[in-house]
Amino acid sequence: MLGFLIGEALRDLHRAGRVAVAAILLTTLSLAALGGFWLVSTNVGQAAEQWRDRVRITVFLKQEPSAAETDELVDRVQAMPGVAAVRYVSKSEALGTLKEVLGKDASVAEQLPTNPLPASLEVMLNEAGATPEGARGLITRLSELPETDEVSGGMDWVDRLARGRRLLDVIGLGIGAVLAVAAILTVTTATTLVLHLRRQELEIMRLVGAPELVVRLPLLLQGMLQGLLGAVMAIWLLIAVYALAGPHLEPLVNQTLGLERLTFLKPHTVVGLMLAGTMLGGFGGWLARGRTAP
Amino acid sequence: MIELHRVWKVFSVGPVKVPALSDISFRVAKGECVTLHGASGAGKTTLLRLLYREELPTEGDIEVLGCDVPALRVREVAALRRSIGVVFQDAKLLPGRTVYENVAFVLRVLGTPRREITPRVFDALRRVGLSARAQAYPAQLSQGEAQRAALARAIARKPLLLLADEPTGSLDESMAGEVIDIIKDIWARGTTVLFATHQARLAAALHQRTLHLLSGRLVKDEG
Ligand SMILES: Nc1ncnc2c1ncn2[C@@H]1O[C@H](COP(=O)(O)OP(=O)(O)O)[C@@H](O)[C@H]1O
Ligand SMILES: [Mg+2]
């Protein structure tokens, strides 16, 4: 029986012809847009994540504290919300680092009468601290310390990246939603056309007392089939674009975002897209059914 | 099997009321073969449509196969129709399917097990003498063959009651005779038959009970 119903659904698709093809293509477009933005957003998110690990706030101190004062200060900063770790950098360590950086020009530093570099604290952020609000709060708190001369670093551009990602998500969802509505309407049109083409079959079914399910199921199935076909094509499209453009984009992404590798959608996202397509199509088929119900 | 009590059917065409059936009462017992005779427009099709609930009566009681037909709910209407084979006046063959597929289609939508379908289709086609035309499309059939294909579709699911609406409508006499013989055969195998025709001679040829309709009234019940 199921084989028969699927057969009828396929026959419907065949008969709806170009409209069904349009419905499938629109589903493809909407899911490809959704998946494409998702893909970009995932990678931007990964870059932001990576950067968050590297972001640190430097607190320059007014004067070099004693060993006991240092321990007490580190403990105090460590206890602040948003702080993952604190490292004290003494004046001499700072100078050492500077010399390392200067390399063969280190003699310039040696000729200084006194060490001009201040002692500082390097503050690493945990998850709570790496949010825009968390970082802002922490920077305020660190500035208010009596020992603090100046606070540098922060989340400014990580912040911007996160906002950019959110914008991408919104645009992706927006475009995806508009295309999804178009896809649903086209599936509905295709199904309405099928209903029209099938009116003789449907009349016979009704007259011989076919169960309601047998009448409805092929309509629902052909809608779902259109959606599923659209989803599979969208995924193929994404894979193809990813495979073609990925290698060219990777160096660029590496330079700008510092992301070494691009990642494709996770398997469950791919399955999710296919389910979304199937449901989209089913919904379209069901809508058509509702419009022509006696 | 069938019982009508004071049935009226009045169509409203705009403000005009057209009484298609007026005060019809009769009874058909199980195993009977009854001819419904009347000129074109007498109300034969309307009467048959009332029996499988394609129309509702304006007034009166209708009982078919033990069901109070006007009171049936949608699901029960489907169940009733599954026990009734109908040959429609316009045959209603699906143009995109072969004779075989037309008959099989009905069996399939009614959930007949797959392996039973082919033998049942060919059995029905053999009984109407259409085995050789199984792969023909409706457009390739003569009118007589099309009527017989419609008959095959109606009997393939072994209905308790066969309603045939002018299955000999536009056929010449010898072809009509063949269809009558097939209907006699179906009846002989135990199906109750109600057969509508406007041809008085065919009504007589069956040598069975005949109901005469005249402008929506049952004027004679003979045989
Ligand atoms: N749906 C309808 N609306 C209005 N009038 C109808 C309708 N169906 C049938 N009639 C009228 O009812 C009468 C009987 O029609 P019908 O049952 O088709 O007669 P028959 O089958 O005996 O030729 C005719 O006058 C016809 O015009
Ligand atoms: Mg008629």
Side-chain angles (χ1 to χ4, degrees):
Chain A
M1 191 69 183
L2 195 66
F4 170 66
L5 294 178
I6 292 173
E8 288 294 302
L10 282 173
R11 201 182 170 114
D12 287 351
L13 269 188
H14 180 70
R15 278 193 286 188
R18 272 185 227 178
V19 183
V21 170
I24 292 169
L25 287 182
L26 266 170
T27 313
T28 305
L29 278 182
S30 83
L31 293 177
L34 210 64
F37 275 96
W38 202 328
L39 191 61
V40 173
S41 163
T42 313
N43 282 290
V44 170
Q46 238 152 26
E49 198 101 330
Q50 217 174 67
W51 272 96
R52 196 183 65 197
D53 292 342
R54 296 189 202 154
V55 166
R56 51 199 60 187
I57 297 175
T58 308
V59 182
F60 296 102
L61 301 176
K62 285 176 183 152
Q63 45 191 270
E64 184 152 51
S66 69
E69 282 169 342
T70 305
D71 288 348
E72 188 268 338
L73 178 62
V74 166
D75 286 348
R76 232 187 315 143
V77 172
Q78 180 78 67
M80 289 179 176
V83 175
V86 184
R87 200 171 77 84
Y88 172 69
V89 181
S90 68
K91 283 171 76 85
S92 58
E93 192 185 339
L95 193 61
T97 312
L98 180 64
K99 280 181 185 163
E100 241 171 69
V101 174
L102 291 175
K104 63 180 191 310
D105 298 324
S107 55
V108 180
E110 252 144 46
Q111 279 156 20
L112 294 165
T114 53
N115 180 351
L117 298 176
S120 61
L121 294 177
E122 263 180 21
V123 181
M124 265 71 75
L125 306 179
N126 66 15
E127 203 137 317
T131 63
E133 304 78 40
R136 219 170 294 125
L138 187 60
I139 287 168
T140 314
R141 249 187 232 110
L142 288 169
S143 318
E144 282 164 357
L145 286 174
E147 291 87 345
T148 300
D149 182 32
E150 203 189 333
V151 179
S152 89
M155 302 285 299
D156 268 11
W157 73 270
V158 178
D159 208 1
R160 245 174 281 145
L161 202 58
R163 240 178 294 150
R165 186 192 180 191
R166 246 171 296 159
L167 189 67
L168 273 179
D169 284 351
V170 170
I171 294 173
L173 273 177
I175 293 179
V178 169
L179 288 173
V181 169
I184 289 175
L185 291 180
T186 317
V187 173
T188 308
T189 309
T191 314
T192 308
L193 182 67
V194 164
L195 280 172
H196 182 70
L197 296 170
R198 269 175 67 93
R199 61 197 184 284
Q200 290 167 314
E201 264 99 338
L202 290 170
E203 189 191 9
I204 288 290
M205 286 185 177
R206 210 169 42 73
L207 287 172
V208 301
E212 205 41 29
L213 193 71
V214 178
V215 180
R216 282 180 193 223
L217 215 53
L219 297 174
L220 194 68
L221 278 179
Q222 61 94 19
M224 288 168 75
L225 261 167
Q226 288 175 55
L228 184 61
L229 278 174
V232 169
M233 278 173 51
I235 290 162
W236 270 351
L237 194 66
L238 287 176
I239 291 176
V241 168
Y242 181 78
L244 284 177
H248 300 291
L249 281 178
E250 228 156 47
L252 186 72
V253 169
N254 199 343
Q255 275 168 25
T256 52
L257 293 179
L259 199 60
E260 260 169 47
R261 310 182 41 94
L262 288 171
T263 45
F264 193 62
L265 298 174
K266 301 216 170 54
H268 61 82
T269 312
V270 170
V271 173
L273 279 176
M274 298 221 276
L275 273 178
T278 310
M279 274 164 54
L280 220 82
F283 187 56
W286 178 74
L287 275 185
R289 172 65 225 181
R291 263 203 303 199
T292 53
Chain B
M1 179 79 34
I2 301 175
E3 186 167 350
L4 277 77
H5 182 69
R6 314 209 65 147
V7 171
W8 290 76
K9 178 67 190 180
V10 182
F11 289 109
S12 302
V13 184
V16 186
K17 302 246 187 263
V18 182
L21 294 171
S22 310
D23 200 18
I24 304 281
S25 302
F26 68 91
R27 201 190 272 228
V28 175
K30 187 164 183 284
E32 265 190 289
C33 177
V34 178
T35 305
L36 191 58
H37 174 250
S40 181
K44 305 179 293 296
T45 300
T46 305
L47 178 50
L48 294 183
R49 283 159 69 88
L50 286 173
L51 299 182
Y52 57 93
R53 241 294 277 271
E54 196 50 13
E55 295 284 0
L56 281 169
T58 310
E59 220 175 285
D61 303 325
I62 302 173
E63 195 188 302
V64 177
L65 293 164
C67 299
D68 177 1
V69 177
L72 292 180
R73 277 176 287 149
V74 177
R75 196 180 295 257
E76 297 164 331
V77 170
L80 173 70
R81 287 177 180 178
R82 269 172 253 153
S83 315
I84 305 178
V86 184
V87 180
F88 306 99
Q89 188 165 4
D90 54 349
K92 292 196 199 298
L93 294 173
L94 301 172
R97 308 197 190 222
T98 63
V99 169
Y100 173 89
E101 287 166 346
N102 263 281
V103 181
F105 178 79
V106 169
L107 291 177
R108 293 188 123 176
V109 300
L110 297 182
T112 310
R114 214 181 161 67
R115 62 198 151 68
E116 280 182 36
I117 288 177
T118 305
R120 278 174 71 171
V121 172
F122 276 106
D123 183 47
L125 290 179
R126 192 180 43 73
R127 281 167 65 185
V128 302
L130 268 189
S131 305
R133 304 291 278 146
Q135 298 311 322
Y137 285 90
Q140 301 166 333
L141 299 177
S142 72
Q143 278 177 340
E145 286 170 331
Q147 293 290 7
R148 283 184 282 154
L151 252 173
R153 183 178 62 185
I155 60 172
R157 56 208 164 92
K158 304 189 168 122
L160 299 170
L161 173 64
L162 178 71
L163 304 177
D165 194 357
E166 309 218 30
T168 56
S170 46
L171 303 182
D172 64 36
E173 218 155 300
S174 75
M175 273 185 166
E178 278 175 35
V179 171
I180 294 294
D181 287 342
I182 294 162
I183 287 178
K184 269 187 181 163
D185 173 61
I186 292 163
W187 168 59
R189 289 161 183 252
T191 304
T192 307
V193 176
L194 187 54
F195 161 65
T197 180
H198 67 272
Q199 294 154 296
R201 212 187 321 210
L202 286 178
L206 268 167
H207 301 297
Q208 293 295 325
R209 179 177 165 204
T210 303
L211 299 172
H212 293 276
L213 276 181
L214 185 65
S215 308
R217 294 191 173 273
L218 189 56
V219 290
K220 198 156 64 165
D221 183 348
E222 63 178 2

